[in-house]
Amino acid sequence: RVSPDGRSVVYQAMGKLWLKALPDGEPRRLTRQNEHFEMDPTWSRDGRSIAYVTWDDDQLGAIRLVGSRGGNGRVVTPSKGHYRQPDFAPDGRSIVYRKATGGWLRTPLWSTDPGIYRLNLKTKQVSRLLKSGSQPHFGADDETLFYTQGGASLSLMALDIESRRTHTVATSKMGANFRVSPDGSMLAVIEEHNVH
């Protein structure tokens, strides 16, 4: 993921997170641990923090935060589980993420109630928004959540009303990885191995 100011990129390689100044800086480790795998990094809109997911076969998964200069990440999820795809709300006060289930290669423990969740970073309150979906993220505001349903359609959920109505925004038979721009004016999608 490229930083909001466009000056650096954070990425996962060999199970660790790396930070690199663009365009040709020297990569350096973002965190200082070797106890677990790190993946799915994402920037806060102000560029000060990076949220990411960790995995350890014994301790399971967590979502952690680290400052953009690096250091030791701190766990923000209240319990262990199978977490993926965190994304900051534009105001930086909460994170949305996907909670998955285990099984096959990963333990089936801590697999109840999968779906898309929102975590308030100050109060640590967790709310389940959807029972299914992936790639949750925000566009321009904190009250409109975008997510992928079934891999081939982008939907949105209005978070500022009690009914939490949802509707489909875009569909594509061969599409994947829908992403709304931070200002909410554009949509990127991968379709048949091309980015549109």
Side-chain angles (χ1 to χ4, degrees), residues 106-127:
R106 295 190 326 257
T107 178
L109 299 176
W110 296 90
S111 291
T112 59
D113 301 322
I116 293 178
Y117 286 77
R118 187 175 197 174
L119 167 67
N120 183 305
L121 292 172
K122 184 176 182 180
T123 66
K124 305 299 184 204
Q125 180 183 356
V126 174
S127 55

Side-chain angles (χ1 to χ4, degrees), residues 27-79:
R28 65 176 177 84
R29 278 284 307 277
L30 178 67
T31 59
R32 299 183 184 132
Q33 66 76 39
N34 292 305
E35 292 79 39
H36 46 255
F37 293 107
E38 304 166 337
M39 63 202 97
D40 292 349
T42 187
W43 295 85
S44 61
R45 297 282 174 102
D46 63 8
R48 293 180 175 179
S49 300
I50 295 170
Y52 61 101
V53 171
T54 58
W55 179 261
D56 175 82
D57 286 341
D58 294 324
Q59 298 299 314
L60 281 76
I63 296 176
R64 297 175 187 243
L65 293 183
V66 66
S68 60
R69 294 184 181 210
N72 294 318
R74 66 179 173 91
V75 175
V76 294
T77 40
S79 62

Side-chain angles (χ1 to χ4, degrees), residues 140-152:
D141 65 79
D142 302 305
E143 297 302 331
T144 305
L145 175 73
F146 294 92
Y147 63 98
T148 302
Q149 194 68 287

Side-chain angles (χ1 to χ4, degrees), residues 130 135 137-139 141 143-158 165-173 178-181 184-189:
L130 294 158
Q135 300 172 337
H137 64 282
F138 293 93
D141 65 79
E143 297 302 331
T144 305
L145 175 73
F146 294 92
Y147 63 98
T148 302
Q149 194 68 287
S153 68
L154 177 71
S155 297
L156 69 75
M157 170 185 269
R165 286 178 286 178
T166 64
H167 69 272
T168 301
V169 177
T171 60
S172 171
K173 289 182 180 179
F178 294 90
R179 192 80 187 180
V180 175
S181 63
S185 67
M186 302 288 287
L187 171 64
V189 61

Side-chain angles (χ1 to χ4, degrees), residues 1 3 5 18 25 44 49 82-83 103 106 112-114 140 164 172 188:
R1 291 280 183 95
S3 61
D5 64 8
W18 298 82
S44 61
S49 300
H82 303 266
Y83 300 108
R106 295 190 326 257
T112 59
D113 301 322
R164 294 202 169 156
S172 171

